[in-house]
């Protein structure tokens, strides 16, 4: 009998929605996985709890003001601790894990993901901003690394599953489904008045605040089109979004012979996370886990997205046409605008206005280096913040 080897994983952003669901799966599959590293932004109490349960060799908190609490709780247990974004990025080189689940939200996921790729770690990619901001750079790094990327985003996991056994030149187009968010039927006048509470009420998915707002503005779908381009090497004009309010079909691929393959499932992230952790192999779920039934498939409907009410969607095509730093500017302005909206400082439709205005003001760089992305991100944040002060 051979001793089963458990895969050691790092969870970057372990206290968020994807992070906690990843740790659920690790707890359900103790013979397959163990945790080498946990990192969190600022939720120190939950991080301590997770570290006590999963016993990583190290735990890191990005918010340095929470460090003393982390250290005092975990160092007596023999768990190393550290704080700050640089410590987090530096930890990606550690030998005690082979896969990194990038479950953070936003631009902050970029630096650790780059380091993890350079260190040859496999990536279960939930942080879509990494590919949105710097897809070109990531592709270059992957050429000289042994890292493999397994998408966790439900749409990209669906496309990945549809492409198994298919050749790249057989693909006609990718069809990314969108729920349409909470405002699918709202008029422009109603959208002007939309509140934070309205925007956080997603019809199908239970996710963190940032991505829920991004779904409401549909910039999330724009990001997913960009992400799909970099993951699957299909040009933007052959990647389409379709509104599918039931969120049962997670995305589709149309082939040159006219066939369309779709992946269906409940709107639950456990399946795409499991598929990524198990590197694309099918692992049985517990008998008590809910499965998709015929009842949920009785009515599957589709409609074209309304780009007049949701202009953010078109930003994907602009970003893929211009390449360079365009998507980096869009992402930075959006992060600043969404944070301001969540604080009640701007209105819902201002989010798109600020993104478009920032794009007009920040210089585009055609072939950016890593430092160019960093500088552009800083500049776009400054410009977006200034626009809100007016
Ligand atoms: Mg998604």
């Amino acid at each position: 009998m051979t001793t089963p080897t458990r895969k050691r994983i790092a969870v970057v952003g372990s206290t968020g929605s994807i992070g906690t669901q990843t740790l659920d799966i690790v707890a359900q599959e103790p013979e397959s996985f163990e945790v080498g590293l946990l990192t969190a932004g600022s939720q120190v109490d939950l991080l301590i709890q997770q570290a006590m349960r999963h016993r990583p060799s190290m735990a890191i908190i990005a918010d340095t003001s929470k460090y003393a609490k982390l250290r005092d709780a975990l160092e007596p247990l023999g768990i190393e601790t550290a704080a700050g974004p640089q410590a987090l990025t530096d930890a990606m080189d550690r030998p005690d894990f082979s896969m990194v689940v990038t479950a953070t939200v936003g631009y902050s996921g970029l630096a650790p993901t780059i380091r993890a790729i350079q260190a040859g770690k496999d990536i279960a990619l939930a942080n879509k901003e990494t590919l949105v901001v710097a897809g070109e750079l990531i592709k270059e790094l992957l050429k000289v690394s042994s890292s493999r990327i397994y998408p966790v985003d439900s749409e990209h996991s669906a496309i990945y599953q549809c492409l198994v056994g298919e050749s790249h030149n057989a693909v006609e187009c990718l069809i990314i489904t969108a729920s349409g968010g909470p405002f699918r039927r709202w008029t422009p006048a109603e959208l002007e008045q939309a509140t934070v509470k309205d925007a956080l009420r997603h019809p199908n998915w239970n996710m963190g605040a940032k991505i829920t707002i991004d779904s409401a503005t549909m910039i999330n779908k724009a990001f997913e089109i960009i992400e799909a381009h970099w993951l699957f090497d299909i040009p933007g004009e052959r990647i389409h979004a379709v509104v599918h309010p039931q969120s049962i079909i997670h995305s589709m691929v149309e082939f040159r012979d006219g066939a369309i393959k779709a992946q269906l499932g409940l709107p639950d992230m456990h399946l795409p996370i499991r598929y990524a952790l198990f590197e694309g192999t099918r692992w049985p779920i517990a008998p008590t886990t809910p499965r998709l039934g015929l009842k949920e498939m009785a009515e599957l409907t589709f409609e074209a997205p309304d780009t007049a009410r949701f202009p953010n969607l078109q930003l994907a095509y602009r970003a893929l046409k211009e390449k360079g730093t365009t998507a980096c500017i869009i992402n930075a302005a959006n992060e600043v605008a969404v944070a301001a909206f969540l604080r009640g400082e701007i209105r819902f439709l201002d989010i798109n206005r600020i993104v478009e205005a920032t794009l007009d003001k920040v210089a585009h760089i055609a072939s950016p280096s890593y430092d160019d992305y960093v500088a552009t991100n800083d500049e776009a944040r400054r410009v977006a913040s200034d626009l809100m002060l007016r």
Side-chain angles (χ1 to χ4, degrees):
M1 235 177 82
T2 52
T3 319
T5 40
R6 295 188 293 176
K7 178 152 69 184
R8 285 178 73 87
I9 63 168
V11 186
V12 176
S14 65
T15 57
S17 173
I18 299 292
T20 52
Q21 293 179 80
T22 300
L23 291 178
D24 284 350
I25 295 165
V26 169
Q28 287 160 8
E29 306 288 350
E31 289 178 3
S32 299
F33 303 108
E34 57 189 336
V35 176
L37 171 73
L38 291 176
T39 86
S42 63
Q43 292 191 61
V44 69
D45 292 318
L46 182 53
L47 178 61
I48 290 169
Q49 243 179 58
Q50 292 175 334
M52 286 179 158
R53 164 113 202 242
H54 293 281
R55 299 294 171 130
S57 39
M58 186 178 202
I60 302 175
I61 188 99
D63 179 348
T64 50
S65 72
K66 309 279 172 68
Y67 177 61
K69 191 167 189 183
L70 185 75
R71 181 197 58 209
D72 295 349
L74 298 183
E75 299 251 324
L77 304 174
I79 299 172
E80 275 180 73
T81 58
Q86 191 58 48
L88 196 165
T89 298
D90 291 342
M92 295 296 104
D93 290 341
R94 289 170 66 91
D96 40 15
F97 49 87
S98 61
M99 177 182 263
V100 180
V101 182
T102 63
T104 49
V105 175
Y107 176 85
S108 65
L110 180 61
T113 308
I114 287 176
R115 185 71 76 85
I117 292 171
Q118 287 168 333
K121 312 290 186 185
D122 286 339
I123 310 288
L125 186 82
N127 176 269
K128 68 187 76 183
E129 291 88 348
T130 295
L131 282 175
V132 169
V133 168
E136 232 161 333
L137 176 69
I138 298 293
K139 292 288 277 196
E140 287 305 310
L141 292 172
L142 284 168
K143 281 183 195 161
V144 292
S145 164
S146 57
S147 296
R148 291 162 298 177
I149 291 199
Y150 298 95
V152 170
D153 211 347
S154 61
E155 294 78 2
H156 305 78
S157 176
I159 293 168
Y160 189 102
Q161 293 177 58
C162 291
L163 289 173
V164 169
E166 305 286 355
S167 72
H168 182 261
N169 63 14
V171 175
E172 180 73 23
C173 65
L174 308 180
I175 305 166
I176 299 186
T177 52
S179 69
F183 301 141
R184 185 166 60 95
R185 298 233 179 274
W186 287 42
T187 64
E190 288 168 333
L191 286 176
E192 281 287 355
Q193 304 302 325
T195 65
V196 171
K197 213 174 142 200
D198 295 329
L200 285 175
R201 212 177 286 130
H202 196 280
N204 304 339
W205 293 96
N206 184 10
M207 309 175 287
K210 162 73 170 40
I211 187 171
T212 304
I213 302 299
D214 286 349
S215 295
T217 66
M218 291 200 76
I219 205 163
N220 182 54
K221 217 40 66 177
F223 288 164
E224 289 180 351
I225 291 168
I226 299 170
E227 185 186 6
H229 166 74
W230 294 116
L231 280 171
F232 305 113
D233 197 19
I234 300 290
E237 58 271 21
R238 293 201 279 130
I239 308 175
H240 312 299
V242 63
V243 173
H244 166 49
Q246 296 82 19
S247 296
I248 295 296
I249 294 183
H250 296 311
S251 278
M252 299 177 258
V253 179
E254 183 173 342
F255 295 93
R256 296 180 74 176
D257 63 354
I260 294 179
K261 277 173 143 181
Q263 187 261 328
L264 287 72
L266 294 169
D268 179 338
M269 290 306 293
H270 284 89
L271 191 149
I273 298 169
R274 287 174 69 92
Y275 193 77
L277 290 177
F278 284 112
E279 300 177 16
T281 57
R282 305 279 181 195
W283 214 254
I285 47 175
T288 50
T289 309
R291 282 174 179 269
L292 179 62
L294 290 173
K295 182 165 74 354
E296 290 89 2
M297 289 188 272
E299 193 196 16
L300 302 178
T301 62
F302 306 93
E303 51 196 74
D306 182 344
T307 51
R309 283 184 304 138
F310 299 101
N312 276 336
L313 205 52
Q314 294 306 103
L315 291 172
Y317 302 106
R318 177 169 172 186
L320 288 177
K321 195 164 150 237
E322 294 178 2
K323 299 267 170 68
T325 49
T326 297
C328 175
I329 298 167
I330 293 170
N331 178 71
N334 183 62
E335 285 188 24
V336 170
V338 169
F341 174 69
L342 285 169
R343 290 193 303 266
E345 293 167 9
I346 60 169
R347 291 185 306 169
F348 181 72
L349 291 182
D350 291 335
I351 300 172
N352 171 259
R353 293 184 189 126
I354 285 163
V355 171
E356 304 257 7
T358 306
L359 263 177
D360 290 340
K361 284 180 185 294
V362 178
H364 177 258
I365 301 170
S367 299
S369 65
Y370 176 71
D371 291 341
D372 291 331
Y373 286 115
V374 173
T376 300
N377 175 65
D378 289 345
E379 169 73 356
R381 277 167 198 274
R382 194 185 57 72
V383 168
S385 301
D386 285 353
L387 284 165
M388 289 188 295
L389 292 175
R390 301 230 194 114

